[in-house]
Amino acid sequence: MRLTIAAKSVLTTCLLILFSLTLVGLYLERREEESIVKQVAARLEAQTALLQADIPESVLLGDAWARLAAVRTRARVTLIAPDGRVLADSEEPSAQMENHRDRPEVVAALATGTGQAMRSSRSVNRDLLYYARSVPTASGGPLILRLSVPLGEVAHGFLQFRRDFLVIAALSLLLASGIAILWARRIARQLRQMVEFARGVSRGQMPPRLPIESRDEFGDLATALNAMAADVKGILQRLEEESHRSRTIMESMGDGLLVLDAGGHISLVNPAAEKLLGLQRDAALGRTPLEVLRSHEMDDLLKKAIHQEGGAGAEITLVHPRRRILAGTAVAMRDAQGIVQGTVLALRDITQLKRLEEMRMEFVLNVSHELRTPLTAIRGYAETLLDGGFADRENAQKFLEIIHRHSERLGRLLNDLLELSNIELEKTPLHLRPVSILELARQTMTLLTSQAEKKRIHLSTAIPEELPPVLGDRDRLVQILVNLVDNAIKYTPEEGIVTVTARVAPTEAQGGGGAGESSLQIPGTPAPPQVVEIVVTDTGIGIPQKDLPRLTERFYRVDKARSRELGGTGLGLAIVKHLVAAHGGTLSIESKVGEGTQVRIALPAGPPLPAPSA
Ligand code: ADP
C-alpha cells in the first residue's frame, strides 16, 4: 500500500502524541498515587495520635476497644505488644493472630517511633496501607498502635484521575490530529501542484506560474520551479528555432542529404535526395540505405565513415531508375564520449560533370587524331621532297599537291573547331532580322553550283514567293544551308538530285494546314508564332538508322574514310545543330540507306520584310 505524505505525517503526529501522553500519564499517575498515599498516611497518623490516649489498661478489653476505635476512624485498628504479640484487633480475634514482630511498619515504629508500609495482608488477604506508632504506657514498655486502610480507597482516587486524564488525552489527540490533518492537506495540495507543474514542464507544456503561498521552504521551492520552467522554456525555444533553421537549410539544399540513426536506419531524407535517388520519403524512413538503394558502394562508404575520423568520400554509381554518378561524402556524428550516434551522407549528382569530362577527353582524343592524319602526310611528303624528291619533278608536283590538300584540310579543321567553340561560347552574337529564305537558297546554290556540276548533280529549289521570312542572322543561316547542301552533294553519287524546299510548318492549331480547313484559333488570343521549315533532300547514299541519333556529335561519321576523302571534318552537322539551336529552331534528319536523306530545320518566322524601294 502506498501511503501519502499527508497520511504519514498525520500518523506520525498521532503516534508521537499518543506516546508522549502515555509517558506523561504514567508519570502523573505515579505522582497522584504518591500524593493519595501521603494523604491517607497523614490521616492515619493524625488518628493514631488521637487514639493513643484511649488505649485501655486492660488488654482483655482490647478487641472490643479496637472494634469501637475502627468505627470512629473507618480503619482497621490493631494493638501490638513490643514482642510482636497482637493484643487487640478490630477485624479478627487477636488471640488467634500470628506474631507481628517482623512486620516492617512494626519494626520501624519500634526503632523510630512511627512506621509505614503498603502490602497485601496475609490475615485479611487485601492490599492495605499500614501506619504504626509506638505508644508509651504507664505500666511498662511501649505498645504499637497500628491503623490500616485498604488500598481500594487509594485505587478509587486513581480511577477518577485516570478517567479525567483519558478524557483530556483523547480531546487533545483529536485536536492535534485535526490540526495535523489540515496542515498535511495543505502541504499535500502544494506538493501536488508542484508535481503537476514539473510534469507539465517535462512534457514541454508551459503551465501557468506556481503561486508563492508562503515564505517557507515551499515558497523557495515554488520560486525555484518557476525559474527552472522559464529556463526550460528559453532552451526549448532556442532548440525549436535551431531545428527549424536546420530543417530549412536541409530542405533547401541542392545536394541530397540522408541522415542515419545509430542503427544505420534512415531517419531523414531531404527533397533533393528524394529526387536524386528516386525515393519516397515515407517508404525510406526506418530502413537501411542498402535495403532501399541496393548500392554496395554507398554501404561501403557509410561503413568507412564510421571508422574514419573526419568522414569519407567516394563516387557512387546508381543504375536505378536511371544511371547516375554521385559524389558522396559521409561523416559519422559522435557524442562527447566518441560513440557514434548516426551518420550524415551528402550526395551530389556529378553525372553531367562526368559526361562533360568524358566528352572533353574524347574531344581532345578526336582532335589529336584528326590533326595527326594530315600532319603525318604533310611531314612524310615534305621529308621525301627534302631527301631529294625534287629530282623527280612529276612526283614532286604530286607531293606538293598532296601537301597543299592536307594543309587545306588542316585549315578547314581548325576553322570548324574555332567556329564551333565560338558558337558554343556565344562569342559571335547573332544579328537577328527577317531573312528571305528564297534569297538564302539562291545564295547557297550560287556558292555550290560548281561543286554540284563537277558531279553532274541537279540542284533545285522549290520555295513559294509568299513564304514569310525567318528571323535570323543572315550569314549564319547561309552557313547552315551551305553545310547541309554541301553534305547532300558530298554524299550523293553523280547525277543525283538535291532539292531545297521550304514552307510554313503546320502548327497544331492548323491541324496539318490543309487548304480550306477551318482554323481552331480562339478569338482574342494571340496567334501562335509561325514556324518556317526548310528541307534539304538528296537522292544519296543515305544513313543507317542506328547512326541517325549520333550524327550531330562532333567528329561522328558514318564512314570515316569516305568523309575524309571527301574533305569532311566531321564537325559540319555539330555546327549546324548549334546554330539552329541558337536561332531557337529544331533540326531533324530522316534517311533511308541507298535512297537518300532529308534534313529538316524549323526556324521561327519573322515579321514581314520591308517592301523593296522603287
Ligand atoms: P562531315 O564533315 O564528315 O560531312 P558532318 O558533321 O557534316 O561531317 O556529317 C557527319 C556525318 O553524317 C558524315 O560523315 C556522313 O557520314 C553523314 N552525313 C551527313 N549528311 C549526309 C547526307 N546528306 N547523306 C548521307 N550521309 C550524310
Side-chain angles (χ1 to χ4, degrees):
M1 194 179 71
R2 184 173 173 267
L3 276 181
T4 59
I5 284 202
K8 277 182 197 161
S9 58
V10 169
L11 216 67
T12 314
T13 314
C14 289
L15 281 175
L16 271 177
I17 289 172
L18 222 64
F19 180 67
S20 35
L21 279 176
T22 312
L23 277 185
V24 170
L26 284 175
Y27 171 74
L28 288 179
E29 197 177 83
R30 183 137 194 82
R31 291 288 302 275
E32 182 68 14
E33 185 188 344
E34 274 172 18
S35 122
I36 293 173
V37 167
K38 238 186 207 160
Q39 278 176 33
V40 177
R43 177 166 68 90
L44 293 183
E45 186 191 356
Q47 282 172 337
T48 50
L50 283 175
L51 270 184
Q52 66 182 339
D54 284 352
I55 295 175
E57 286 301 315
S58 158
V59 175
L60 288 173
L61 287 174
D63 281 351
W65 172 83
R67 275 195 292 274
L68 260 173
V71 174
R72 275 170 57 200
T73 56
R74 280 185 287 121
R76 180 184 174 183
V77 179
T78 314
L79 202 61
I80 303 157
D83 58 359
R85 269 179 308 113
V86 178
L87 302 175
D89 188 76
S90 61
E91 291 194 7
E92 280 184 48
S94 53
Q96 290 167 17
M97 284 170 68
E98 62 183 79
N99 191 294
H100 274 40
R101 194 175 45 222
D102 55 346
R103 299 290 194 271
E105 69 280 3
V106 177
V107 175
L110 281 174
T112 62
T114 57
Q116 186 181 321
M118 215 165 32
R119 71 171 175 278
S120 173
S121 155
R122 254 173 280 153
S123 331
V124 288
N125 206 15
R126 275 193 292 175
D127 283 343
L128 296 168
L129 175 69
Y130 295 94
Y131 188 86
R133 179 186 282 269
S134 165
V135 182
T137 52
S139 51
L143 288 178
I144 303 298
L145 175 62
R146 189 183 77 169
L147 293 192
S148 64
V149 283
L151 276 179
E153 202 175 311
V154 179
H156 176 74
F158 280 162
L159 225 58
Q160 187 60 39
F161 169 79
R162 260 192 206 150
R163 211 175 295 137
D164 293 350
F165 182 78
L166 278 178
V167 169
I168 290 169
L171 279 177
S172 52
L173 191 68
L174 215 66
L175 193 73
S177 50
I179 293 171
I181 286 173
L182 286 180
W183 181 78
R185 268 194 185 163
R186 181 165 167 264
I187 288 181
R189 182 177 51 76
Q190 284 184 330
L191 278 177
R192 261 200 312 277
Q193 255 181 359
M194 287 174 185
V195 167
E196 277 309 309
F197 184 83
R199 282 199 183 126
V201 172
S202 79
R203 279 195 297 263
Q205 302 160 345
M206 280 303 136
R209 285 176 67 80
L210 279 174
I212 315 286
E213 288 181 12
S214 53
R215 295 179 64 185
D216 53 12
E217 287 88 337
F218 275 105
D220 293 347
L221 186 57
T223 312
L225 281 174
N226 281 335
M228 182 197 75
D231 287 351
V232 168
K233 192 177 172 185
I235 292 169
L236 283 180
Q237 218 162 352
R238 270 202 302 285
L239 279 178
E240 177 81 8
E241 278 166 19
E242 217 136 278
S243 106
H244 180 72
R245 198 175 319 147
S246 316
R247 235 185 354 256
T248 313
I249 292 173
M250 281 188 298
E251 303 271 300
S252 57
M253 261 171 76
D255 284 359
L257 203 71
L258 287 186
V259 180
L260 313 185
D261 60 19
H265 300 100
I266 300 173
S267 61
L268 194 145
V269 186
N270 77 341
E274 274 186 275
K275 208 169 133 202
L276 198 63
L277 304 170
L279 280 184
Q280 286 288 317
R281 187 189 299 233
D282 294 340
L285 292 178
R287 297 169 71 196
T288 66
L290 190 63
E291 280 171 354
V292 181
L293 299 163
R294 309 210 169 279
S295 163
H296 287 278
E297 283 172 323
M298 190 183 282
D299 202 46
D300 290 345
L301 170 65
L302 290 167
K303 282 183 185 142
K304 213 166 135 192
I306 289 176
H307 299 113
Q308 205 164 295
E309 240 351 272
E315 242 172 51
I316 299 161
T317 308
L318 293 181
V319 273
H320 291 295
R322 59 195 163 82
R323 189 172 184 277
R324 270 146 310 140
I325 304 168
L326 309 175
T329 315
V331 183
M333 301 182 284
R334 293 170 203 277
D335 63 11
Q337 280 77 44
I339 296 164
V340 174
Q341 298 297 313
T343 318
V344 180
L345 174 64
L347 297 164
R348 175 168 293 183
D349 191 351
I350 54 163
T351 317
Q352 196 67 13
L353 212 70
K354 279 268 155 190
R355 194 148 50 217
L356 283 174
E357 204 174 300
E358 276 166 23
M359 274 167 74
R360 195 178 53 83
M361 276 161 63
E362 203 180 313
F363 178 70
V364 171
L365 248 148
N366 280 332
V367 170
S368 35
H369 184 72
E370 292 294 327
L371 292 175
R372 195 175 298 126
T373 320
L375 273 176
T376 313
I378 290 169
R379 190 192 297 139
Y381 287 107
E383 277 170 3
T384 313
L385 287 172
L386 286 171
D387 289 349
F390 279 117
D392 183 349
R393 279 201 71 78
E394 201 180 316
N395 264 337
Q397 171 75 23
K398 219 162 77 195
F399 292 169
L400 281 172
E401 274 170 17
I402 295 173
I403 289 175
H404 181 245
R405 206 173 61 238
H406 280 293
S407 61
E408 271 193 330
R409 188 166 138 70
L410 266 182
R412 269 202 309 279
L413 199 65
L414 288 177
N415 273 345
D416 279 0
L417 279 174
L418 211 63
E419 180 72 29
L420 202 58
S421 116
N422 279 344
I423 300 168
E424 274 182 346
L425 298 174
E426 294 175 0
K427 273 198 177 160
T428 40
L430 298 180
H431 300 292
L432 296 181
R433 56 202 162 103
V435 179
S436 152
I437 309 257
L438 197 58
E439 266 181 48
L440 212 62
R442 279 192 194 131
Q443 196 179 338
T444 308
M445 294 303 171
T446 320
L447 283 170
L448 296 170
T449 310
S450 70
Q451 200 177 315
E453 275 172 358
K454 274 186 208 153
K455 290 177 81 175
R456 290 189 300 284
I457 283 174
H458 179 71
L459 273 185
S460 70
T461 54
I463 296 167
E465 288 275 352
E466 69 284 357
L467 193 73
V470 290
L471 192 64
D473 182 314
R474 188 187 177 84
D475 293 344
R476 298 304 191 173
L477 292 177
V478 171
Q479 196 180 356
I480 292 172
L481 220 53
V482 166
N483 255 309
L484 296 181
V485 177
D486 178 54
N487 272 352
I489 297 170
K490 273 197 298 197
Y491 300 106
T492 299
E494 293 190 352
E495 306 198 333
I497 301 163
V498 173
T499 329
V500 178
T501 58
R503 61 166 183 162
V504 171
T507 59
E508 272 173 40
Q510 285 163 327
E517 263 182 46
S518 59
S519 167
L520 293 175
Q521 174 71 36
I522 297 161
T525 56
Q530 273 191 319
V531 171
V532 175
E533 192 178 72
I534 306 167
V535 188
V536 179
T537 314
D538 64 54
T539 55
I541 58 171
I543 304 159
Q545 207 63 28
K546 67 169 175 44
D547 293 308
L548 284 176
R550 300 194 58 192
L551 277 192
T552 53
E553 286 175 22
R554 300 156 196 199
F555 300 114
Y556 191 84
R557 293 137 158 157
V558 179
D559 181 344
K560 277 196 171 56
R562 187 197 288 244
S563 159
R564 285 213 189 92
E565 198 181 305
L566 294 167
T569 57
L571 295 171
L573 283 182
I575 292 174
V576 168
K577 185 182 87 173
H578 277 93
L579 282 177
V580 170
H583 277 87
T586 55
L587 168 77
S588 63
I589 305 171
E590 285 165 38
S591 189
K592 245 187 190 155
V593 176
E595 285 186 19
T597 304
Q598 235 186 21
V599 184
R600 205 178 287 271
I601 55 171
L603 296 167
L609 288 169
S613 48

